[in-house]
Amino acid sequence: LGVEYANFTAAQEYFTKAGAVDKAIIVLKEDVAGSGKNAVVVAGWRATDTRLACRLLQNYDNYKKDLANKTAVVVGGTLENLSIAELAV
């Protein structure tokens, strides 16, 4: 994501630019470090936001149409009323 480890100010700026304040982000990073492997990064503004995004991934089959062809999304709301939008950054 281009944010230094343990740098709250940089992370806060990233979430603000992404429109993800009080939400979570899910990012698919392809071919990490030229390894041919992919990684999924899940980060939330708060722990509850991170858990919401993880729940979405746990129930991927229910949301795969919303996630199709997207490599980065912002997740907000509640499990009963989830909002999924393409990441702005």
Side-chain angles (χ1 to χ4, degrees):
L1 299 175
V3 176
E4 294 179 31
Y5 176 74
N7 185 337
F8 180 74
T9 302
Q12 188 176 27
E13 288 174 12
Y14 183 88
F15 269 75
T16 301
K17 287 180 187 175
V21 173
D22 294 328
K23 297 178 182 168
I25 58 171
I26 301 173
V27 179
L28 172 64
K29 299 297 252 178
E30 297 176 317
D31 192 25
V32 177
S35 67
K37 297 181 180 182
N38 300 330
V40 176
V41 178
V42 180
W45 186 256
R46 296 175 306 244
T48 54
D49 303 316
T50 305
R51 283 193 292 273
L52 178 66
C54 289
R55 288 280 177 97
L56 178 146
L57 293 175
Q58 286 177 320
N59 296 293
Y60 176 78
D61 287 339
N62 296 338
Y63 301 103
K64 63 183 168 188
K65 282 200 304 188
D66 298 312
L67 298 171
N69 301 313
K70 295 179 178 81
T71 57
V73 295
V74 176
V75 179
T78 64
L79 231 106
E80 296 78 31
N81 188 24
L82 203 62
S83 68
I84 302 170
E86 201 145 9
L87 188 64
V89 173

